[in-house]
Amino acid sequence: MEKINPFIRTFPNDLIYVVKSSATAVFIPNQFISVTPNRLVLLARAFHSFKLLKCFIVCFILLMWSAGSVSGTNYYTFQTGNWNDPNTWTTDPGGSTLVGPAVPTNNDVIKILPGRTVTLTANVTQTGLSINMNGGGIINMSTFTFATLASLSGQGVLKLSSASFPTVTTNTFVTTGGGTVEYNTGISLTAAQTTYNNLTINTSGTVIQASNLSLNGNLLVKQGTFQINDNSANRRQLTVNGNVTVN
């Protein structure tokens, strides 16, 4: 029985063993190797003339797989504040203790807790974010934008002062039982986003429905004017599955 030291060691019969550095591997002639703990990454048989090349390819694939499998950090709102303020965020799921404050980065998971409002003061360029807004939680995008989101969910409120509704890979925020989208400026709602759960109009101006809209929940015109059709000859359809309230 021969012990081998990581990282790479070859044995008779042109076997290449690739083991993580924290593992201890033991070679038993004519048998597979055993690894303690279970940290064996790859066992590949290579031809003698291509051993080094194959080993390099294997290590490269392993490195790429490891990098791609890293999951993001879960961040929770510690307090009301700006998105790009580290002290807005904590890794404490209860949101009551400031732990590991940092601005979210690519692929992180964001939880907007009840009673907290997070405001964008610049475009959010990080990609792959998953955002969940609990009921009573608010994101105020103002006039700024998100890069493409991995997911958007919850029963909170998403406020916008532009027509730049986020591009989302998986969007349950606008499905039945989802959240509320509130427009705070006079805009034209285009075909970029035609489905909402609850829709609120709260502006001193006019929000124009320029394409067919479907609401799974309620329509609330809290302030301002909601105009169906953009003065064109095209007929527009508005479907509201819940209540319509005009204050």
Side-chain angles (χ1 to χ4, degrees), residues 10-223:
T10 61
F11 293 100
N13 301 322
D14 293 332
L15 287 178
I16 291 181
Y17 304 92
V18 182
V19 182
K20 285 189 176 180
S21 60
S22 60
T24 300
V26 178
F27 173 69
I28 304 174
N30 301 318
Q31 298 185 35
F32 291 108
I33 64 174
S34 61
V35 179
T36 305
N38 294 325
R39 299 296 299 278
L40 177 62
V41 178
L42 181 64
L43 173 61
R45 186 172 186 86
F47 293 102
H48 179 73
S49 59
F50 296 102
K51 286 192 293 186
L52 292 179
L53 176 60
K54 287 196 173 184
C55 181
F56 173 81
I57 293 173
V58 166
C59 293
F60 179 79
I61 293 174
L62 175 62
L63 178 63
M64 294 298 100
W65 173 83
S66 298
S69 64
V70 176
S71 59
T73 301
N74 288 347
Y75 284 107
Y76 307 83
T77 44
F78 172 66
Q79 60 185 356
T80 292
N82 295 334
W83 181 281
N84 58 1
D85 181 355
N87 290 328
T88 299
W89 308 106
T90 179
T91 56
D92 170 28
S96 59
T97 305
L98 187 61
V99 180
V103 177
T105 59
N106 294 344
N107 304 315
D108 284 344
V109 178
I110 310 302
K111 307 281 189 177
I112 309 298
L113 300 179
R116 313 278 167 81
T117 298
V118 178
T119 301
L120 272 62
T121 58
N123 293 337
V124 176
T125 58
Q126 289 78 12
T127 60
L129 296 172
S130 296
I131 299 177
N132 176 270
M133 285 183 276
N134 288 356
I138 300 171
I139 290 181
N140 186 352
M141 292 179 57
S142 185
T143 58
F144 302 102
T145 62
F146 283 103
T148 299
L149 301 176
S151 66
L152 181 64
S153 61
Q155 293 77 44
V157 178
L158 180 66
K159 296 185 176 185
L160 301 94
S161 293
S162 74
S164 299
F165 191 92
T167 300
V168 186
T169 301
T170 302
N171 189 353
T172 61
F173 188 79
V174 297
T175 60
T176 302
T180 299
V181 176
E182 178 178 311
Y183 287 102
N184 299 137
T185 190
I187 56 170
S188 178
L189 300 179
T190 65
Q193 183 63 38
T194 59
T195 302
Y196 299 88
N197 182 45
N198 300 319
L199 177 63
T200 297
I201 307 302
N202 187 12
T203 174
S204 59
T206 301
V207 173
I208 300 171
Q209 178 188 331
S211 60
N212 294 339
L213 289 183
S214 178
L215 276 58
N216 294 303
N218 304 320
L219 171 63
L220 169 61
V221 182
K222 189 174 183 179
Q223 180 182 3

Side-chain angles (χ1 to χ4, degrees), residues 219-247:
L219 171 63
L220 169 61
V221 182
K222 189 174 183 179
Q223 180 182 3
T225 301
F226 181 61
Q227 176 181 320
I228 301 174
N229 202 318
D230 53 357
N231 295 320
S232 70
N234 297 320
R235 298 179 63 183
R236 302 302 180 192
Q237 180 175 318
L238 173 63
T239 302
V240 182
N241 289 294
N243 298 320
V244 176
T245 303
V246 179
N247 286 348

